[in-house]
Amino acid sequence: MSMAIAHSKITAQGQISVPAEVRRKLGIGPGSVLEWDEEEEKIVVRRSGRFTSEEIHRALFPKRAPKRRKLEELKEGIRRYVRDRHARH
């Protein structure tokens, strides 16, 4: 049986504080997102995964690989999108 690395108390509102030792181990701070998962008879808490823009693109557009673009092309595309969107309002 393993030893607990820290303990937390639940408030009347159902909130808990994440102990400093756990925050350091997970590399989290204010604004970090934690996910809770069930594994067999345990509840596991972990830092929510981070995804690259390429992974997000593949999830949204699975049939097309993202075309490599220069930073200036990306910025211009964003500017054009914002201009067009505001022009419609």
Side-chain angles (χ1 to χ4, degrees):
M1 190 166 211
S2 63
M3 296 280 298
I5 60 171
H7 291 88
S8 292
K9 206 180 235 186
I10 300 175
T11 69
Q13 292 81 24
Q15 298 174 333
I16 63 169
S17 293
V18 179
E21 302 89 15
V22 176
R23 291 193 309 267
R24 275 194 296 278
K25 282 185 178 283
L26 291 175
I28 60 171
S32 295
V33 177
L34 299 176
E35 56 186 42
W36 300 69
D37 199 4
E38 189 173 2
E39 293 181 1
E40 296 175 15
E41 294 182 21
K42 298 177 187 177
I43 300 296
V44 178
V45 181
R46 66 176 65 85
R47 181 181 61 204
S48 186
R50 297 181 184 137
F51 301 99
T52 66
S53 59
E54 213 166 310
E55 290 168 328
I56 292 169
H57 189 280
R58 270 197 299 272
L60 294 172
F61 310 102
K63 295 180 182 180
R64 294 180 289 184
K67 180 181 174 188
R68 292 240 177 248
R69 299 189 188 262
K70 294 180 182 173
L71 181 59
E72 192 51 46
E73 290 176 300
L74 293 172
K75 287 181 180 180
E76 182 53 38
I78 292 168
R79 285 187 208 105
R80 195 174 328 117
Y81 173 81
V82 171
R83 258 194 322 267
D84 292 348
R85 182 167 176 136
H86 287 290
R88 285 186 243 146
H89 289 104

